[in-house]
Amino acid sequence: MLRSFFKGSIKTKASPLPLYCGCYAYKLKDLKEGNFICARIISSDNKPHYYLYIVAKYANDICEAYDPEKADTEMKLISLKEGEWTPLPTVIPERPLKRWEHSKDSEVLSLFQEDDEWTTEFYPAKVLVIPWQRQNEDIRGYELEFEGSSSKHIVPENFIVQYSKMWKEADKKLAEMSQ
C-alpha cells in the first residue's frame, strides 16, 4: 500500500470539485479505511513529529491508525483525537487551479525525498511556487524550501498538508518549555 502511494498518482477531478479537494484536504473529516493521514506525535523527549499513517478505523471522532512502514512486522494501532491528525489530499483538480492550492509563502508540512526515496515523516516547509505557476513542468507539484535548508525541492501535491495554526502554536509552546 505504501509503495503504491509513493509510485502512484493522485486522483484528479473536473468540476464540480469537492470541498476537501487539494489544499482543503483538512476539511475531510469522514475518513475511510486505507486513507493516509499526517499524525502529530509527541516523542518521549517532548518534541513534535509528524508521521505518515494509514487509517484502520474511524468512528466517534477517534481515528485508529498504524505506521505503514511497520505494517508487515508489527501492526500497532494508535488512537488519535481530532486535533492530532490531518488527512492527505485524496483528489486534486484535473488542471492546476490557484484557488485549490496552498498559497505562495505559506507554511506547510511535507514529506521529503532523500536518495530517491520518500520519507514517512513530514517536515515544515515554505511554499515558493504553486502548481498553477508550474503548469508546463514535467512533475506537477509545489516548489518548497524546507526549514533549515536553502535548497529547493519539487514535491507532489498529495505529499503536502496544511501546517495548522493550532499545531504551530502548540509546537512553539513545546519548544519554549524545553529551553
Side-chain angles (χ1 to χ4, degrees), residues 59-77:
N60 304 320
D61 293 329
I62 301 292
C63 175
E64 292 187 14
Y66 59 93
D67 182 341
E69 285 191 314
K70 298 178 181 173
D72 294 337
T73 56
E74 56 175 282
M75 194 160 137
K76 180 182 168 194
L77 290 179

Side-chain angles (χ1 to χ4, degrees), residues 138-153:
D138 292 340
I139 299 170
R140 179 171 166 178
Y142 290 87
E143 186 174 311
L144 303 177
E145 181 178 80
F146 285 85
E147 199 174 90
S149 169
S150 59
S151 59
K152 298 171 184 173
H153 301 269

Side-chain angles (χ1 to χ4, degrees), residues 19 89 150 162 179:
L19 293 175
S150 59
Q162 179 185 25
Q179 291 178 351

Side-chain angles (χ1 to χ4, degrees), residues 11 13-14 16 21 26 30 70 85 105 120 132 134 139 146 164 176-178:
K11 293 178 194 169
K13 186 165 180 3
C21 186
Y26 68 92
D30 183 27
K70 298 178 181 173
W85 58 270
D105 295 324
T120 56
W132 181 77
R134 303 183 69 254
I139 299 170
F146 285 85
S164 75
E176 289 169 359
M177 289 172 45
S178 65

